[in-house]
Amino acid sequence: MEAMEIDSEKNLQRKHSTYNLLDERFEIQKEMYRGQQYSQIYFARLHMMRTLLYSLVPNWKPHLPVCTVLGLEKDKECVVVGTLYKHMKLKPCILDEYSKTRSTTPLVKPHNFVHPDDHLVLEDESGRVKLAGMLSPSVYVTGSIVGLHGKETDAGDFLVLDVLEAGLPPQIELPLKSREDKYVVFVSGLRVGSSSSNPLQFQLLVDHITGHLGDEKEQGIAAQIVHVVIAGNSIEVPRGLLNGQNLASKDQSRLSEPIKELDILLTQIAAGLPLDIMPGLDDPANFALPQQPLNRCLFPGSSAYNTFRSCTNPHCFDLDDIRFLGTSGQNIDDLEKYSEAKDKLEFVERTLRWRHLAPTAPNTLGCYPFTDRDPFLIESCPHVYFIGNQDKYDSRLVKGSEGQMVRLICIPKFCETGVAVVLNLGTLECHTLSFGTHFSS
């Protein structure tokens, strides 16, 4: 089933766009868990990134030799490439919860675990060395791969004089043909079923997207919306019911009610235009990244349409040859706990410059123990990079050294803000749609 017309009487036709799904690397298909450790994903990451960084060294420091951690010599300047590990005083340790002697450090979790005493270590297969010098521990996290120019000191530390990051990956060129105005709508954190969710607010958004709101001008704008992306945390199930006991029938219906409600709303969108839904931290999906698509049987109404797509998190796709990449927010929320930046978009930009979606996985962010690859490496630079479930809307255009242009977007939680984000495919400009349902007396 597919319906694309907005209003046949006024002869308004919805615009179309060509869609290409690129989630294959995030899908777990033939992989089997055979007790493998996480070391292999780090080896795969280091191997791929080291090859890349070695190719950049001749342009960066052509006069310096490249060596391993074990090959360092005192006072001899060189370049070494490895994986960073950050020693963190405040990082929670599961053993603290079970220690017989109560530690003086409180077990409450602070919002951020960065401490002035944190220090960085560089590791490769040959060994590890403590870092000193200009590298700021508050910026970097465990798991990022860098090239360092420096020398070994008397104390046995490596004094860092300069840092080489991978930088923005190569980017496919933006299509040059005269691009007309077409819009993509991003929304996240719907949390249908939670106490903070406002069904009327979401219904207004659905009505706007489908062209059932406003006058002819408003409908003309709605007809230019060609795609909707729902970036995680769409449902909130009452977790108190999930205690391992058999559920009474009334509790079963309470559990399925939010999912049914979401399906009714998604069906209205899918009947009019293509829709991608990604799982989030609180959705009924697997916990570890990459999260696999939400099961289609949860959405009997909307999954009947070929416009409905249940996707992975992270999610990657092309729309009219414009590359989109995004997550439901876990990767950036974890970076915020273990490093510091002036705003959320700076964390987002760092993941691009490190060419890695989730550098803190598997250290502090759950991920599948891949053995032969690291699917989170960003090999091709997106034109649009979006992050769901953030506290507020923010957007910035980032330029790379080779002319790359990336639109970064933080999508706010809809249930708290009533804000969805609209991107113009023609210009990569962004604006917000705000829906309020408070009536002044």
Side-chain angles (χ1 to χ4, degrees):
M1 289 192 277
E2 189 169 353
M4 286 291 176
E5 216 164 290
I6 282 213
D7 194 334
S8 51
E9 287 173 29
K10 302 192 185 89
N11 212 10
L12 262 181
Q13 293 287 328
R14 185 176 294 282
K15 289 185 177 179
H16 292 257
S17 61
T18 56
Y19 179 90
N20 183 19
L21 182 65
L22 301 167
D23 278 349
E24 204 176 323
R25 66 191 163 123
F26 301 123
E27 289 169 3
I28 296 171
Q29 287 164 338
K30 294 194 177 71
E31 281 94 345
M32 289 281 290
Y33 180 67
R34 296 191 180 88
Q36 65 263 36
Q37 297 297 304
Y38 281 109
S39 55
Q40 283 154 303
I41 194 170
Y42 280 124
F43 283 136
R45 186 184 304 178
L46 180 58
H47 176 73
M48 291 286 293
M49 292 297 293
R50 183 163 49 198
T51 309
L52 169 76
L53 287 164
Y54 277 173
S55 71
L56 301 175
V57 168
N59 291 332
W60 181 55
K61 305 278 177 179
H63 56 290
L64 288 176
V66 175
C67 64
T68 61
V69 168
L70 202 59
L72 294 176
E73 292 175 32
K74 203 178 94 177
D75 291 335
K76 185 182 168 190
E77 286 192 30
C78 66
V79 171
V80 59
V81 173
T83 310
L84 290 176
Y85 175 78
K86 181 149 82 168
H87 272 282
M88 302 188 74
K89 194 175 178 177
L90 300 179
K91 183 182 159 190
C93 172
I94 188 72
L95 298 176
D96 292 344
E97 295 179 27
Y98 296 96
S99 65
K100 289 194 173 64
T101 55
R102 298 300 292 167
S103 63
T104 49
T105 52
L107 293 180
V108 290
K109 291 185 178 176
H111 171 65
N112 182 285
F113 301 113
V114 174
H115 188 275
D117 294 345
D118 294 347
H119 67 267
L120 292 166
V121 169
L122 190 77
E123 290 187 355
D124 64 10
E125 297 94 334
S126 71
R128 61 195 328 227
V129 62
K130 187 178 173 185
L131 301 178
M134 58 152 294
L135 208 60
S136 168
S138 65
V139 170
Y140 292 91
V141 289
T142 296
S144 40
I145 315 273
V146 292
L148 300 176
H149 161 213
K151 58 186 178 183
E152 194 176 2
T153 63
D154 292 339
D157 297 346
F158 188 71
L159 181 68
V160 179
L161 304 170
D162 204 355
V163 188
L164 173 67
E165 292 176 355
L168 266 59
Q171 188 176 50
I172 49 170
E173 278 189 47
L174 274 174
L176 288 172
K177 61 180 186 296
S178 60
R179 290 181 289 155
E180 54 186 330
D181 285 347
K182 290 181 184 177
Y183 297 100
V184 180
V185 173
F186 295 96
V187 63
S188 70
L190 297 169
R191 290 194 177 280
V192 173
S194 79
S195 55
S196 58
S197 168
N198 182 339
L200 176 56
Q201 227 169 19
F202 188 24
Q203 186 63 60
L204 285 170
L205 171 65
V206 171
D207 287 346
H208 173 77
I209 290 168
T210 52
H212 291 99
L213 208 62
D215 55 11
E216 278 184 54
K217 185 186 173 205
E218 197 82 20
Q219 288 183 328
I221 294 166
Q224 295 176 319
I225 298 171
V226 293
H227 206 85
V228 176
V229 177
I230 297 175
N233 290 359
S234 309
I235 309 162
E236 186 160 307
V237 288
R239 294 208 179 272
L241 298 176
L242 304 170
N243 54 10
Q245 305 294 318
N246 286 340
L247 288 175
S249 56
K250 72 173 199 307
D251 288 339
Q252 283 179 4
S253 64
R254 269 183 66 202
L255 210 54
S256 60
E257 212 54 54
I259 301 171
K260 286 178 183 167
E261 191 183 327
L262 178 66
D263 186 38
I264 290 166
L265 290 154
L266 296 188
T267 305
Q268 296 172 46
I269 299 175
L273 73 162
L275 157 76
D276 289 357
I277 184 165
M278 299 159 59
L281 182 64
D282 299 325
D283 286 326
N286 61 306
F287 163 76
L289 292 178
Q291 286 184 294
Q292 298 307 286
L294 293 165
N295 198 310
R296 291 176 72 87
C297 71
L298 295 171
F299 310 105
S302 39
S303 63
Y305 290 87
N306 64 1
T307 47
F308 174 87
R309 287 187 198 88
S310 186
C311 305
T312 59
N313 167 38
H315 178 33
C316 185
F317 61 96
D318 283 351
L319 210 56
D320 283 352
D321 295 323
I322 293 167
R323 177 74 44 96
F324 287 75
L325 175 66
T327 73
S328 297
Q330 295 101 311
N331 59 331
I332 300 303
D333 293 344
D334 201 61
L335 278 182
E336 191 183 26
K337 286 180 192 166
Y338 295 97
S339 59
E340 290 178 330
K342 65 176 187 292
D343 57 22
K344 278 287 180 81
L345 284 178
E346 194 175 329
F347 291 121
V348 180
E349 189 178 336
R350 277 178 202 167
T351 60
L352 266 186
R353 298 202 183 279
W354 296 337
R355 294 200 197 184
H356 201 280
L357 272 168
T360 53
N363 183 43
T364 50
L365 186 62
C367 85
Y368 183 85
F370 292 93
T371 53
D372 55 347
R373 63 195 180 99
D374 182 351
F376 306 112
L377 290 171
I378 306 172
E379 289 169 22
S380 172
C381 191
H383 299 108
V384 180
Y385 182 20
F386 62 91
I387 305 292
N389 299 293
Q390 299 306 301
D391 295 327
K392 63 177 198 291
Y393 163 74
D394 206 355
S395 176
R396 189 188 303 157
L397 199 64
V398 167
K399 293 181 172 67
S401 57
E402 290 158 22
Q404 303 100 316
M405 300 263 285
V406 192
R407 168 63 63 185
L408 309 180
I409 307 170
C410 284
I411 312 162
K413 298 168 188 163
F414 189 80
C415 70
E416 291 176 13
T417 61
V419 171
V421 181
V422 183
L423 173 89
N424 185 334
L425 279 179
T427 61
L428 294 189
E429 291 295 318
C430 256
H431 65 271
T432 55
L433 284 174
S434 298
F435 296 90
T437 54
H438 295 290
F439 301 102
S440 52
S441 51

